[in-house]
Amino acid sequence: MANSWCCCWWLITLFSLIMFLHFGVNTFTDSEWGSGHENPAIFNPVGLAANQWVDTAVEAGISLVILTAKHHDGFCLWPSKYTDHSVVRSPWKNGHGDVVRELADAAKARGVDVGLYLSPWDRHDRRYGHDLPYNEYYLAQLQELLKKYGSVSEIWFDGAKGANATNMTYYFTEWFSMVKEFQSSINIFSDAGPDVRWVGNEAGSAGRTCWSTINRSSLAIGSTSTMDYLGTGDPKGKDWLPPECDVSIRPGWFWHKSQSPKTLSQILEIYYNSVGRNCVLLLNVPPNKTGLISQEDVQRLKEFRSAIDTIFSTNLAQNCLIKASSTRGGQQGGFGPENVLDNDHLWTYWAPKDGDNGDHWIELRGGDEGLRFNVVRIQEAIGLGQRIKRHEIYVDGNMVVNETTVGYKRIHRLDEGLVHGRIVRILIKKSRGVPLISSVGLHFDPFWHPDKRYTKSQGI
């Protein structure tokens, strides 16, 4: 059910959060999609400090940052020998600058992984629309990026292009093969994987049912007909393709003076709808014209990290008595329900008896004072696959959750708000094989006020 790297993917994104950095000529033209006719002379981030980007990421608990090395306008943030539509024709550092190099060096110094986005759609290069010449050009630029800048953790591909864009066939199979040839451990992202899939929207929200498995044969990069399928995945899927949710901290992907970051409550809503639904969250934080992440964005990220720490640093279930419907191997078998309260959320887990066809459950029992919480976290032993199809949660016999998949992490923020009870039962109604639960948490979110609920995550 899971391939060899699935756990490694979530380990390198342990906070389940990645940072996207949209930066380029659009930053200076107040645009989202450039025309390809921009004069490189407009690109002049006089205060650019990649160290500040990386420091911001580290302080937010982020260990992977992805840069738009080239966006749809075709302007390259590194001195490519295959085009002069790049930093070499910019006044920044007298044409000797290299944004990709500065980020790679800053990230390496802080132990942060780097990812790159190289837009397939290129509105500047004259080869675009001519299949063989452009694909050769694109492959040559990919090779530059993968050979010159050290280890790349993730390479990002998409099929985005305008409705009236020139017809163009991308040689994705050849691109992917070359990427793996140069860096075999890299994760390739696209609408159709092969390693990580898009979730199907830019609102940072997965489906309430979200499987890591899907059928790649049903997907096509750039297709608009599979967006719902991307968001839910497929319990019968043959391919392990964990979903990634992308969204910007601001209304736009690039920095605009007129825009402000989302509120803390909006970002928390996005977190619950992405990380809380078996996804990794790719949060875009665009540098400004100076070449820095704006202070208001830095502050919002600090607030966000502080809020996550406040919510999840204490597991209110830690001192509960715990029992289960059954246990594989009995009390001394090593698969007891106590494993869900240890600090290993991957490789220790509760397993019921094999062949036990009844309902499986774990029960947490608090002391005389009871338990007060408004968040329930459940995690499967994802290294052994995603299994749970449907689960319910009861507090003192009253149902508070009736949902479907779990996956690496399912986080329920209770609709009714704070509940007070003594017995919490997690009931697994349906699963593929026996369910294997690695971690359970009861938490209190002081920022959650259902009567003031923010009901729609802002997209872009």
Side-chain angles (χ1 to χ4, degrees), residues 6 21 77 90 121 134 140 151 202 215 221 263 326 340 347-348 363 365 381 390 421 430 436 440:
C6 73
L21 297 163
L77 295 182
S90 159
W121 184 30
Y134 181 74
S151 177
E202 293 180 337
N215 284 317
I221 300 174
T263 65
S326 67
V340 306
W347 298 115
T348 63
E363 189 173 275
R365 192 175 289 261
R390 176 161 292 280
K430 294 181 181 179
L436 306 176
V440 168

CSV table of all heavy atoms in Angstrom, one decimal, residues 6 21 77 90 121 134 140 151 202 215 221 263 326 340 347-348 363 365 381 390 421 430 436 440:
chain,number,residue,atom,x,y,z
A,6,CYS,N,7.4,6.8,1.3
A,6,CYS,CA,6.3,7.6,1.8
A,6,CYS,C,6.5,8.2,3.2
A,6,CYS,O,6.2,9.3,3.5
A,6,CYS,CB,5.0,6.7,1.8
A,6,CYS,SG,5.0,5.4,3.1
A,21,LEU,N,8.1,30.1,-2.6
A,21,LEU,CA,8.6,31.5,-2.7
A,21,LEU,C,8.3,31.9,-4.2
A,21,LEU,O,9.1,31.6,-5.1
A,21,LEU,CB,10.1,31.6,-2.4
A,21,LEU,CG,10.5,31.2,-1.0
A,21,LEU,CD1,12.0,30.9,-0.9
A,21,LEU,CD2,10.1,32.4,0.0
A,77,LEU,N,15.7,33.2,-12.7
A,77,LEU,CA,16.4,33.7,-11.5
A,77,LEU,C,17.8,33.2,-11.4
A,77,LEU,O,18.4,33.5,-10.3
A,77,LEU,CB,15.6,33.4,-10.3
A,77,LEU,CG,14.2,34.0,-10.2
A,77,LEU,CD1,13.5,33.7,-8.9
A,77,LEU,CD2,14.2,35.6,-10.4
A,90,SER,N,19.9,42.1,-15.7
A,90,SER,CA,19.3,42.9,-14.6
A,90,SER,C,20.4,43.8,-14.0
A,90,SER,O,21.5,43.4,-14.0
A,90,SER,CB,18.7,41.9,-13.6
A,90,SER,OG,18.6,42.6,-12.3
A,121,TRP,N,5.2,26.3,-19.1
A,121,TRP,CA,4.7,27.4,-20.0
A,121,TRP,C,5.7,28.6,-20.0
A,121,TRP,O,6.0,29.1,-18.9
A,121,TRP,CB,3.3,27.9,-19.5
A,121,TRP,CG,2.6,28.9,-20.4
A,121,TRP,CD1,2.7,29.0,-21.7
A,121,TRP,CD2,1.7,29.9,-19.9
A,121,TRP,NE1,1.9,30.1,-22.2
A,121,TRP,CE2,1.2,30.6,-21.1
A,121,TRP,CE3,1.1,30.2,-18.7
A,121,TRP,CZ2,0.3,31.6,-21.0
A,121,TRP,CZ3,0.2,31.2,-18.7
A,121,TRP,CH2,-0.2,31.9,-19.8
A,134,TYR,N,11.7,23.3,-28.1
A,134,TYR,CA,11.4,23.8,-26.7
A,134,TYR,C,11.7,22.8,-25.7
A,134,TYR,O,12.2,23.1,-24.6
A,134,TYR,CB,9.9,24.3,-26.6
A,134,TYR,CG,9.7,24.9,-25.2
A,134,TYR,CD1,10.2,26.1,-24.8
A,134,TYR,CD2,9.0,24.1,-24.3
A,134,TYR,CE1,10.1,26.6,-23.5
A,134,TYR,CE2,8.8,24.6,-23.0
A,134,TYR,CZ,9.4,25.8,-22.6
A,134,TYR,OH,9.2,26.3,-21.3
A,140,ALA,N,17.5,21.2,-21.0
A,140,ALA,CA,18.8,21.8,-20.8
A,140,ALA,C,18.8,22.6,-19.5
A,140,ALA,O,19.7,22.6,-18.7
A,140,ALA,CB,19.2,22.6,-22.0
A,151,SER,N,21.8,19.3,-3.8
A,151,SER,CA,20.6,18.4,-3.7
A,151,SER,C,19.3,19.2,-3.8
A,151,SER,O,19.2,20.2,-3.1
A,151,SER,CB,20.7,17.7,-2.4
A,151,SER,OG,19.6,16.9,-2.2
A,202,GLU,N,-6.4,25.5,-5.4
A,202,GLU,CA,-5.4,26.4,-4.9
A,202,GLU,C,-5.9,27.1,-3.6
A,202,GLU,O,-5.5,28.2,-3.3
A,202,GLU,CB,-4.9,27.4,-5.9
A,202,GLU,CG,-4.2,26.8,-7.1
A,202,GLU,CD,-3.7,27.8,-8.1
A,202,GLU,OE1,-4.3,28.8,-8.2
A,202,GLU,OE2,-2.8,27.5,-8.9
A,215,ASN,N,-5.0,6.3,-9.0
A,215,ASN,CA,-4.6,5.7,-10.2
A,215,ASN,C,-4.0,6.7,-11.2
A,215,ASN,O,-4.7,7.6,-11.7
A,215,ASN,CB,-5.8,5.0,-10.9
A,215,ASN,CG,-6.1,3.7,-10.3
A,215,ASN,OD1,-5.3,2.9,-9.9
A,215,ASN,ND2,-7.4,3.4,-10.1
A,221,ILE,N,-1.6,15.8,-16.6
A,221,ILE,CA,-1.1,17.1,-16.2
A,221,ILE,C,-1.8,18.2,-17.0
A,221,ILE,O,-1.8,18.2,-18.2
A,221,ILE,CB,0.4,17.2,-16.3
A,221,ILE,CG1,1.1,16.1,-15.4
A,221,ILE,CG2,0.9,18.5,-15.8
A,221,ILE,CD1,2.6,16.0,-15.6
A,263,THR,N,-5.6,36.3,7.8
A,263,THR,CA,-5.6,36.3,9.3
A,263,THR,C,-5.2,35.0,9.8
A,263,THR,O,-5.2,33.9,9.2
A,263,THR,CB,-7.1,36.6,9.8
A,263,THR,OG1,-7.9,35.5,9.4
A,263,THR,CG2,-7.6,37.9,9.2
A,326,SER,N,-9.3,-5.3,21.0
A,326,SER,CA,-8.4,-6.5,21.1
A,326,SER,C,-7.0,-6.0,20.7
A,326,SER,O,-6.8,-4.9,20.3
A,326,SER,CB,-8.9,-7.5,20.1
A,326,SER,OG,-8.7,-7.1,18.7
A,340,VAL,N,-0.2,4.3,21.2
A,340,VAL,CA,-0.7,5.5,20.5
A,340,VAL,C,-0.4,6.7,21.3
A,340,VAL,O,-0.6,7.8,20.9
A,340,VAL,CB,-2.2,5.3,20.2
A,340,VAL,CG1,-2.5,4.1,19.4
A,340,VAL,CG2,-3.0,5.4,21.5
A,347,TRP,N,6.4,4.3,13.7
A,347,TRP,CA,6.7,2.9,13.7
A,347,TRP,C,6.3,2.1,15.0
A,347,TRP,O,6.5,0.9,15.0
A,347,TRP,CB,8.2,2.7,13.6
A,347,TRP,CG,8.7,3.3,12.3
A,347,TRP,CD1,9.5,4.4,12.1
A,347,TRP,CD2,8.4,2.8,11.0
A,347,TRP,NE1,9.7,4.6,10.7
A,347,TRP,CE2,9.0,3.7,10.0
A,347,TRP,CE3,7.5,1.8,10.5
A,347,TRP,CZ2,8.9,3.5,8.7
A,347,TRP,CZ3,7.4,1.6,9.1
A,347,TRP,CH2,8.1,2.5,8.2
A,348,THR,N,5.7,2.7,15.9
A,348,THR,CA,5.0,2.0,17.0
A,348,THR,C,3.5,2.2,16.8
A,348,THR,O,3.1,3.3,16.5
A,348,THR,CB,5.4,2.4,18.4
A,348,THR,OG1,5.1,3.8,18.6
A,348,THR,CG2,6.9,2.2,18.5
A,363,GLU,N,-10.3,3.1,23.5
A,363,GLU,CA,-11.0,3.9,24.5
A,363,GLU,C,-10.0,4.6,25.5
A,363,GLU,O,-9.2,4.0,26.0
A,363,GLU,CB,-12.0,3.0,25.3
A,363,GLU,CG,-12.9,3.8,26.1
A,363,GLU,CD,-14.0,2.9,26.8
A,363,GLU,OE1,-15.0,2.6,26.1
A,363,GLU,OE2,-13.8,2.4,27.9
A,365,ARG,N,-9.8,6.9,28.9
A,365,ARG,CA,-10.7,7.2,30.1
A,365,ARG,C,-9.9,8.2,31.0
A,365,ARG,O,-8.8,7.9,31.4
A,365,ARG,CB,-10.9,5.9,30.8
A,365,ARG,CG,-12.0,5.9,31.9
A,365,ARG,CD,-12.2,4.5,32.5
A,365,ARG,NE,-13.0,3.7,31.6
A,365,ARG,CZ,-14.3,3.5,31.6
A,365,ARG,NH1,-15.0,4.0,32.6
A,365,ARG,NH2,-14.8,2.7,30.7
A,381,ALA,N,-0.3,4.2,11.1
A,381,ALA,CA,1.1,3.8,10.9
A,381,ALA,C,1.3,3.8,9.4
A,381,ALA,O,1.2,2.8,8.7
A,381,ALA,CB,1.3,2.4,11.5
A,390,ARG,N,-13.6,4.4,7.4
A,390,ARG,CA,-14.6,5.1,8.1
A,390,ARG,C,-14.4,5.0,9.6
A,390,ARG,O,-14.0,3.9,10.1
A,390,ARG,CB,-16.0,4.7,7.8
A,390,ARG,CG,-17.1,5.3,8.6
A,390,ARG,CD,-18.5,5.2,7.9
A,390,ARG,NE,-18.6,5.9,6.7
A,390,ARG,CZ,-18.8,7.3,6.7
A,390,ARG,NH1,-18.9,8.0,7.8
A,390,ARG,NH2,-18.9,7.9,5.5
A,421,GLY,N,-16.0,15.5,28.9
A,421,GLY,CA,-16.4,14.1,29.2
A,421,GLY,C,-15.3,13.3,29.8
A,421,GLY,O,-14.2,13.8,30.0
A,430,LYS,N,-14.8,0.8,9.3
A,430,LYS,CA,-14.4,0.1,8.0
A,430,LYS,C,-13.0,0.4,7.8
A,430,LYS,O,-12.5,1.5,8.0
A,430,LYS,CB,-15.2,0.6,6.8
A,430,LYS,CG,-16.7,0.2,6.8
A,430,LYS,CD,-17.4,0.7,5.6
A,430,LYS,CE,-18.9,0.4,5.6
A,430,LYS,NZ,-19.6,1.0,4.4
A,436,LEU,N,-4.2,0.1,11.8
A,436,LEU,CA,-3.0,0.2,12.6
A,436,LEU,C,-2.9,1.7,13.0
A,436,LEU,O,-2.6,2.6,12.1
A,436,LEU,CB,-1.8,-0.2,11.8
A,436,LEU,CG,-1.8,-1.6,11.2
A,436,LEU,CD1,-0.6,-1.9,10.3
A,436,LEU,CD2,-2.0,-2.7,12.3
A,440,VAL,N,-2.7,9.0,18.9
A,440,VAL,CA,-3.9,9.6,19.2
A,440,VAL,C,-3.7,10.8,20.1
A,440,VAL,O,-2.9,10.7,21.0
A,440,VAL,CB,-4.9,8.6,19.9
A,440,VAL,CG1,-6.1,9.4,20.4
A,440,VAL,CG2,-5.4,7.6,18.9
